[in-house]
Amino acid sequence: MKSAPKRSAFALVGVLSVAGTLTACGASEDPAAEPTGPVTIEVAIDAGLEQPAIDAFDERIAQFEEANPDIQVETKEFTWSGTTFAAELAGGTLPAVFPIPFTDGRALIERKQIADVSDLVAELPYADQFNPTIAAAGQDADGAMWAVPIAAYNQGLHYNRALFEEAGLDPDDPPATWDEVREAAKAIADETGQAGYAHMTQSNTGGWILTTETYALGGRVVEGEGEEVTATVDNDATVAALEMLREMRWEDDSMGASFLYDWGTINQDFAAGKIGMYVSGGANYPNLFTQNKMDPDEYGVTVLPLEGDDAGTLGGGTLAAVSSAASDAEQAAAVKWIDFYYISKLTDQEAAVAEAEVAAETDQPVGAPALPIFDRATYEEQQSWIKDLVNVPLENFAPMTDQMFDQPVIAEPAIATQDVYAALDPVVQAVLTDENADIDALLADAQTQVQGLLDRS
């Protein structure tokens, strides 16, 4: 096994790299070609992992290289960020195999900024078994899969069970309405001195969570399809979500004093016991545990409260992509790695148990629930294979797992997604930092900006 001396970072969403150019190389002459000699590929690894997690990753690499003696794997840390990814893509600093958010898939495919590995993917035994809604994120307009779905999520309400207990709340009965969220946030702030509810606000995450709250209240920030897409940012649900934040911040004083959170920093403070509740992807526990040392006994998660006729939970996920600069042999090796590392543990009992054993031996989370990329039956079968190795407090996930399959999952805006979120970041920031912020005016400006983005896309 060859490990790069330096590892470079990856979070919830990540990307497969090009070696040095923003435009794609030409398509492979034989995209289904097997590696014919020693091939080295660089793959993404989470940043900030503790040594046991690194050891577990290296063990999986060793297993892969033993099964594929003509392929060597090196690692590079990679953290996807909406504000830096384009520069990393253009600068050729990304690894050869990397994760990207669902929201980036179609644009990168259309611009041919990732490799067309669709012929290789089509040969995988489960290629036609993906949930169609999830599969679409990695497919081109003709349905060919260029990037492989490796994880899906629906948004959840994460909460600190210790802070709940300190505030006199029952952690086994978390809030089921937004009024209850507000009440719990105030109780936590009053009784513990910590932020009862925190909100991401920058690097596109403020718009991401505001859109989540909008969906949960029955609204949409964008409507329509194809050329008939219209911005609907200034809808009643978004106004209601912002009004709730304003009241929690300025009337209840329940949101603490930090208002420049992104995904990484809010995870850090939540794991450190500084936040009672926040909204993020429902499958966030492994990151909280491995990168932020979250105490498992203090962790809780539940589904989002849904209110309104068209309410639903925002859903998204992660794709594994391959560099457009990769050779035929490197592309074939990359798809082998994606199949081995990301997917086989979901579809093959032997692989599922092998990965779970490595994770358990190195004290990594085993069995943390997540929204399945295949169907519910496949997910439940996979969970049954590893049940004897599960080392997470499943009872703390019960408020989520008991309900998540019953909630409507609504896809993120399909066009200019990250740009739409970026346009909404300043709206959330303003409401949380200016007591006199004019919500209607802020949304009117954002409405104009988002419509311009849609018109140009």
Side-chain angles (χ1 to χ4, degrees):
M1 176 187 69
K2 243 178 166 182
S3 289
K6 183 181 178 192
R7 302 176 184 260
S8 153
F10 118 84
L12 170 66
V13 263
V15 182
L16 246 182
S17 126
V18 299
T21 173
L22 191 59
T23 55
C25 299
S28 301
E29 291 181 7
D30 181 12
E34 292 288 324
T36 56
V39 175
T40 299
I41 55 172
E42 194 173 56
V43 303
I45 184 173
D46 286 351
L49 295 178
E50 296 296 309
Q51 192 59 47
I54 295 172
D55 292 344
F57 195 90
D58 286 344
E59 175 60 25
R60 293 295 284 158
I61 291 175
Q63 293 172 353
F64 176 78
E65 291 180 339
E66 182 178 1
N68 299 275
D70 288 335
I71 304 173
Q72 291 185 316
V73 177
E74 296 183 350
T75 59
K76 184 174 184 178
E77 291 181 345
F78 169 69
T79 297
W80 184 92
S81 169
T83 57
T84 62
F85 173 64
E88 292 173 312
L89 184 65
T93 60
L94 300 170
V97 178
F98 57 98
I100 57 174
F102 278 11
T103 54
D104 277 16
R106 279 294 179 91
L108 292 171
I109 292 168
E110 289 173 1
R111 297 170 190 150
K112 295 181 171 58
Q113 291 173 319
I114 60 176
D116 177 3
V117 293
S118 58
D119 286 349
L120 292 163
V121 173
E123 295 177 357
L124 298 173
Y126 47 78
D128 60 352
Q129 297 174 21
F130 288 100
N131 179 315
T133 301
I134 289 171
Q139 294 173 333
D140 65 15
D142 296 325
M145 184 174 285
W146 289 44
V148 181
I150 57 173
Y153 70 87
N154 54 338
Q155 298 284 57
L157 180 69
H158 304 263
Y159 61 96
N160 185 298
R161 294 175 61 88
L163 291 179
F164 263 56
E165 290 179 349
E166 190 176 344
L169 303 169
D170 182 357
D172 293 325
D173 186 22
T177 68
W178 287 105
D179 284 345
E180 291 178 3
V181 169
R182 182 179 175 184
E183 292 167 5
K186 181 166 175 52
I188 291 168
D190 290 348
E191 297 299 324
T192 73
Q194 304 295 346
Y197 183 77
H199 203 288
M200 300 183 218
T201 62
Q202 62 177 351
S203 300
N204 306 357
T205 61
W208 176 46
I209 301 303
L210 179 60
T211 299
T212 297
E213 292 160 341
T214 296
Y215 284 8
L217 293 171
R220 304 290 185 273
V221 297
V222 171
E223 291 186 348
E225 297 180 359
E227 297 180 359
E228 303 298 324
V229 178
T230 303
T232 54
V233 168
D234 55 351
N235 65 84
D236 291 344
T238 304
V239 172
L242 291 168
E243 287 286 1
M244 178 184 69
L245 294 178
R246 183 190 64 76
E247 291 166 355
M248 294 172 71
R249 165 68 174 98
W250 298 104
E251 295 179 17
D252 301 347
D253 193 23
S254 63
M255 296 189 67
S258 297
F259 305 111
L260 287 176
Y261 281 125
D262 59 15
W263 186 79
T265 54
I266 204 168
N267 286 342
Q268 291 169 8
D269 275 5
F270 177 73
K274 298 179 181 179
I275 295 171
M277 296 176 288
Y278 77 117
V279 173
S280 188
N284 206 21
Y285 175 80
N287 174 275
L288 291 166
F289 179 83
T290 59
Q291 293 182 257
N292 297 285
K293 302 179 183 178
M294 180 86 195
D295 183 341
D297 292 335
E298 295 184 358
Y299 178 75
V301 63
T302 186
V303 294
L304 293 184
L306 301 185
E307 302 172 9
D309 292 340
D310 292 323
T313 179
L314 180 146
T318 306
L319 303 165
V322 177
S323 169
S324 62
S327 68
D328 290 352
E330 289 165 345
Q331 289 182 28
V335 172
K336 282 180 175 289
W337 170 256
I338 293 168
D339 174 44
F340 171 86
Y341 183 69
Y342 293 111
I343 306 295
S344 64
K345 60 188 176 185
L346 305 177
T347 60
D348 179 81
Q349 182 171 0
E350 183 177 352
V353 172
E355 164 134 319
E357 287 176 341
V358 170
E361 288 167 2
T362 53
D363 196 28
Q364 301 307 298
V366 177
L371 194 68
I373 61 173
F374 298 111
D375 57 26
R376 182 173 182 173
T378 301
Y379 169 79
E380 291 177 345
E381 182 179 41
Q382 187 268 347
Q383 290 293 91
S384 74
W385 294 334
I386 61 171
K387 64 181 181 180
D388 293 337
L389 295 163
V390 170
N391 59 8
V392 301
L394 290 178
E395 64 276 9
N396 292 4
F397 296 84
M400 167 66 79
T401 54
D402 288 350
Q403 303 175 77
M404 69 179 184
F405 290 105
D406 299 326
Q407 286 200 316
V409 177
I410 301 169
E412 297 174 87
I415 297 178
T417 314
Q418 295 297 333
D419 293 331
V420 171
Y421 291 161
L424 295 174
D425 275 2
V427 177
V428 180
Q429 292 171 14
V431 170
L432 296 181
T433 59
D434 179 2
E435 187 171 5
N436 298 312
D438 186 334
I439 290 175
D440 289 339
L442 289 166
L443 288 180
D445 289 344
Q447 170 76 12
T448 300
Q449 185 177 351
V450 170
Q451 188 59 57
L453 290 167
L454 299 177
D455 290 342
R456 293 192 294 272
S457 297

